[in-house]
Amino acid sequence: MQTAPAYRAKTTDYDRSAFERMYTALEADVLIASALLDEDEVIPDADRSGRLTVIRTITGHRSALESEPRTLRRTIRLEPVRAPRRLTPRQYEDLSLILARDEQGGGRLVDGRVRAGIASIPPAAVARLFQHGWLVVESGDAVTVSYAGRVAMTLHDHQAGTGYMGTDKWVVDAFGVGEWQIGTGLFLSLCSCGYRSPSRFDDRAMAQGASRRHRLEHLRTAFGLTA
């Protein structure tokens, strides 16, 4: 179940050579966890693609003859094989059951099923979650939600968008005659989680940017990036 590819990775190495490879969900989780532990940059995209970039920066002398240190970077661009937006409501519920038991080690793989407390996810559903790279098996048949799965869940929770509000108002002049005066419309930043930006924007693009920033905050939280 661990062999299905979860990410297509394009690496630009320290010497600027480039190559591509596929990562399983477990391999990607190890890569991301190591990057977070080493305080490398882990940068999720703010859109709904589920893509992310891992950047490792090193500074030092390449040889004893160099007087000045050099800074080199390795960039790995990860693109999900399975689009996160394909996560169904039922799959979201199944992943939520497992994620809720994360502190207890996640679920348990038993005869193709995942047991999460008193709940049980059937083999066919479990197989699809593994095929999409949204689950991983760790030691002792413990099943946890992969980083790819957490991103898919976050994007399911935070389908950001924009709204529109008019600013027309009823104005009464000195003679007591009233009329509606047309005002400039304003755009709102909204999210399916219930979030509404307190700011109002003159331009839709500005509202869209605020919506993406809201979503990005939650994507960063999925990787434990709260600063």
Side-chain angles (χ1 to χ4, degrees):
M1 290 185 176
Q2 302 269 94
T3 57
Y7 283 102
R8 180 178 295 102
K10 180 180 292 186
T11 300
T12 302
D13 219 335
Y14 300 114
D15 60 0
R16 297 187 179 181
S17 62
F19 58 90
E20 295 186 16
R21 61 160 291 187
M22 307 299 288
Y23 281 91
T24 65
L26 184 59
E27 291 171 335
D29 277 13
V30 170
L31 170 70
I32 295 167
S34 297
L36 293 170
L37 183 63
D38 293 339
E39 297 185 345
D40 296 338
E41 292 182 83
V42 177
I43 308 169
D45 281 13
D47 58 16
R48 296 188 63 199
S49 67
R51 291 187 292 261
L52 65 143
T53 304
V54 178
I55 302 175
R56 170 162 291 192
T57 303
I58 58 174
T59 301
H61 295 85
R62 300 185 64 180
S63 73
L65 301 177
E66 288 189 346
S67 59
E68 297 292 334
R70 298 184 61 183
T71 297
L72 302 175
R73 290 178 177 83
R74 182 189 67 189
T75 301
I76 303 176
R77 181 73 165 158
L78 296 169
E79 181 172 359
V81 172
R82 184 73 171 185
R85 67 180 62 198
R86 300 293 294 276
L87 179 73
T88 67
R90 177 56 189 270
Q91 289 171 333
Y92 176 87
E93 292 176 6
D94 289 342
L95 293 178
S96 296
L97 287 172
I98 299 170
L99 194 60
R101 293 188 55 81
D102 196 47
E103 292 185 358
Q104 291 77 39
R108 292 286 169 182
L109 188 63
V110 180
D111 298 327
R113 293 177 173 270
V114 170
R115 299 193 181 278
I118 62 174
S120 179
I121 304 171
V126 170
R128 285 191 290 271
L129 291 172
F130 275 111
Q131 289 168 2
H132 300 340
W134 295 334
L135 287 182
V136 292
V137 177
E138 298 181 345
S139 59
D141 289 333
V143 178
T144 60
V145 180
S146 67
Y147 278 118
R150 292 167 191 251
V151 168
M153 293 179 70
T154 301
L155 293 175
H156 183 278
D157 282 334
H158 300 282
Q159 300 179 39
T162 60
Y164 181 82
M165 62 179 293
T167 58
D168 298 357
K169 59 182 178 180
W170 182 256
V171 178
V172 179
D173 62 20
F175 300 100
V177 179
E179 66 175 355
W180 284 101
Q181 293 188 359
I182 299 175
T184 302
L186 298 174
F187 295 94
L188 312 174
S189 172
L190 308 173
C191 182
S192 59
C193 70
Y195 167 82
R196 292 171 63 94
S197 169
S199 301
R200 305 292 184 263
F201 304 93
D202 296 327
D203 183 71
R204 182 184 293 275
M206 295 176 64
Q208 291 171 335
S211 296
R212 286 192 294 270
R213 287 192 294 273
H214 166 77
R215 181 167 51 208
L216 181 58
E217 289 177 5
H218 289 277
L219 286 169
R220 286 175 53 82
T221 300
F223 294 96
L225 302 168
T226 56

